[in-house]
Amino acid sequence: MSETNDRIVRPTTSVLTWANRWDHILARWAINRMGHRVEPGLYALGNPTQDSPVFVTANYTLSFDALRSALGGMNAYILVLDTQAINVWCAAGKGTFGTDELAQRIEATGLRDRVSHRVVIAPQLGAPGIAAHEIKKRTSFKVEYGPVRAADLSEYLTRREATPEMRRVRFTLRDRLAVIPVEIVGGLIPLLIGAAVAYLFGGWVSSLAVVAAILAGVVVFPILLPWLPTHDFSAKGFLLGALVALPLVVSSWQGNADAVGWLRAGKAIVPLLIFPPITAFLALNFTGSTTFTSRSGVQREIFTYVPVMAWMFAIGIALMIGLPIIRMIGG
Amino acid sequence: MFNAYQTTTLQFNPTECNGCGMCYTVCPHAVFNRNGRTITVAHAENCMECGACQLNCPTNAITVDSGVGCAAAMMYAAVTGKREPVCG
Ligand code: SF4
Ligand code: SF4
């Protein structure tokens, strides 16, 4: 990009069109993942003057649109960083929503010639990528961190301070529902493979059970997260998976009423060994979509639970295959 | 039992702190408490190790082993022996 191109100020509005909303739906379903991109650079919302505030965001349509639509009726500049169409929070973790990019973008766009003040307002969730004191040193611009949610921006702007409430990340039912489509898309291929394999071994009932165990992990688990007992995601997943497996246990127990005791019990216990680890594994993976699990904590979860998942699953499969063979041989 | 999140790698050294309050401002989980220019760690167990406080502390009074708490990435790294990739 040439220097003159960098200094272009593009006009934008706070109005979301139907095309924007359609784009958001596709983005939430992880369709065309890299296509939800905004051209990085400086944007003018309304008719900004040299006293107008400057807001920083990522070049992901959901981030950019959330910001501009929250600034309805305002005159402001929006500085869009190149995060490769990744949202602010994830890009800050990667470092693309970062100190170097912000400093370089401030210079390249000629922001200091557009505004007389020296303040940029960055989203608080961008803080893991941006060292405010470094930006000050390099560009003389002061970074002020706005609220976590764009919806709180207007209140923030009137007080010029975020309340402790505005500074806290929540992971509400709405937030959790918003990530389910991505979880479903991510779980689709394992679901199809699992269902097909289960069909070959155990017919429709097993196939449906696999689908139920996976859907429990990617749909029911995120919804019920705060209400499932225990703290660890894996433990919550085991419990949920056991609930899903319970009908199978009961039907197997009743269906094999004529079998000898050990065989009847063995068959009944198989679903309890196979399905909870599947749901628990998916639940453990959901830590990556939340906004509160720490890295060292997830690591401890992996060490504690993944071996249990693997053993239960392996023993379950071995019993499923082995029990009929033992019966054939031993009678 | 069943809580892997009781400890954190967050470490705060009050003698280095100048009381600017940046850590208090950027933390999304209200881990720090602020009383004038005195900062304390009030809820270490809420820390998600995002690293915002460390990066924005001008005096290096905070260290935290930051990174995304992404199980898939960590397991992938463990299996392949690669350096831990980031999510997304
Ligand atoms: S690492 Fe993040 S969550 Fe932990 S104390 Fe620092 S800012 Fe807060
Ligand atoms: S950011 Fe650093 S210097 Fe500032 S209050 Fe926090 S610990 Fe102290």
Side-chain angles (χ1 to χ4, degrees):
Chain A
M1 211 189 282
S2 71
E3 209 221 47
T4 44
N5 223 349
D6 276 346
R7 293 180 75 102
I8 287 175
V9 179
R10 297 177 176 83
T12 186
T13 68
S14 55
V15 182
L16 296 186
T17 63
W18 287 109
N20 292 145
R21 292 180 199 281
W22 176 238
D23 169 84
H24 298 171
I25 292 170
L26 295 185
R28 293 234 179 266
W29 282 91
I31 298 167
N32 187 12
R33 249 185 107 166
M34 288 299 136
H36 311 281
R37 184 177 177 277
V38 183
E39 197 57 46
L42 195 59
Y43 288 76
L45 182 76
N47 297 298
T49 66
Q50 56 175 4
D51 299 319
S52 298
V54 180
F55 296 92
V56 185
T57 191
N59 76 327
Y60 179 52
T61 50
L62 282 179
S63 307
F64 180 68
D65 291 352
L67 173 62
R68 66 190 178 92
S69 64
L71 297 175
M74 272 194 70
N75 297 315
Y77 284 107
I78 298 178
L79 186 65
V80 177
L81 304 190
D82 188 359
T83 62
Q84 281 132 40
I86 304 284
N87 69 59
V88 170
W89 171 251
C90 294
K94 284 185 183 204
T96 49
F97 190 95
T99 307
D100 289 339
E101 166 67 9
L102 176 56
Q104 183 264 322
R105 205 50 74 175
I106 287 173
E107 299 303 342
T109 53
L111 185 63
R112 65 182 67 252
D113 304 329
R114 301 274 173 193
V115 291
S116 55
H117 62 79
R118 290 292 174 261
V119 175
V120 293
I121 301 171
Q124 187 191 328
L125 291 187
I130 288 174
H133 54 281
E134 269 295 310
I135 297 291
K136 174 95 186 178
K137 224 186 291 175
R138 289 202 218 168
T139 67
S140 77
F141 275 84
K142 179 180 178 221
V143 177
E144 280 181 12
Y145 288 109
V148 164
R149 283 162 295 269
D152 289 331
L153 264 173
S154 66
E155 200 189 332
Y156 166 81
L157 289 170
T158 45
R159 324 164 162 245
R160 214 47 197 257
E161 195 185 38
T163 61
E165 185 51 33
M166 286 184 209
R167 293 244 167 267
R168 289 205 68 172
V169 154
R170 305 270 174 221
F171 199 47
T172 61
L173 181 59
R174 223 184 126 160
D175 299 331
R176 299 198 302 279
L177 289 175
V179 294
I180 287 177
V182 174
E183 300 287 321
I184 292 178
V185 172
L188 207 57
I189 288 172
L191 186 134
L192 292 177
I193 295 173
V197 171
Y199 178 73
L200 290 179
F201 276 98
W204 281 114
V205 177
S206 306
S207 188
L208 277 177
V210 168
V211 172
I214 292 181
L215 287 183
V218 297
V219 178
V220 184
F221 180 80
I223 295 174
L224 295 184
L225 179 63
W227 299 293
L228 290 168
T230 75
H231 195 288
D232 289 344
F233 283 51
S234 316
K236 287 169 185 275
F238 273 121
L239 289 173
L240 185 61
L243 272 183
V244 172
L246 219 51
L248 281 178
V249 174
V250 173
S251 81
S252 163
W253 179 255
Q254 285 170 346
N256 292 305
D258 50 345
V260 277
W262 61 267
L263 187 63
R264 195 180 175 198
K267 281 195 155 181
I269 213 167
V270 163
L272 263 185
L273 289 169
I274 293 181
F275 297 113
I278 297 176
T279 309
F281 185 75
L282 293 165
L284 172 59
N285 268 292
F286 190 68
T287 53
S289 303
T290 71
T291 42
F292 53 86
T293 48
S294 68
R295 178 176 122 131
S296 63
V298 173
Q299 217 149 27
R300 279 187 288 274
E301 274 214 47
I302 291 174
F303 285 132
T304 314
Y305 298 100
V306 171
V308 180
M309 294 175 198
W311 276 111
M312 278 175 70
F313 190 76
I315 294 171
I317 296 285
L319 277 184
M320 186 179 75
I321 298 170
L323 283 175
I325 297 175
I326 295 172
R327 190 177 55 169
M328 264 188 338
I329 299 168
Chain B
M1 198 48 180
F2 302 123
N3 188 349
Y5 301 91
Q6 275 160 333
T7 57
T8 167
T9 57
L10 178 75
Q11 288 193 319
F12 167 61
N13 180 357
T15 55
E16 298 287 326
C17 174
N18 69 14
C20 72
M22 270 312 257
C23 53
Y24 173 80
T25 298
V26 296
C27 179
H29 290 290
V31 168
F32 299 97
N33 191 22
R34 180 185 199 178
N35 188 355
R37 295 189 78 81
T38 309
I39 294 286
T40 47
V41 175
H43 295 285
E45 75 282 1
N46 288 347
C47 175
M48 69 167 300
E49 300 174 344
C50 72
C53 53
Q54 177 183 19
L55 190 62
N56 281 277
C57 174
T59 65
N60 300 322
I62 299 171
T63 56
V64 58
D65 188 3
S66 68
V68 273
C70 184
M74 280 185 238
M75 285 186 274
Y76 180 80
V79 171
T80 58
K82 289 210 181 82
R83 241 186 68 85
E84 196 171 296
V86 282
C87 300

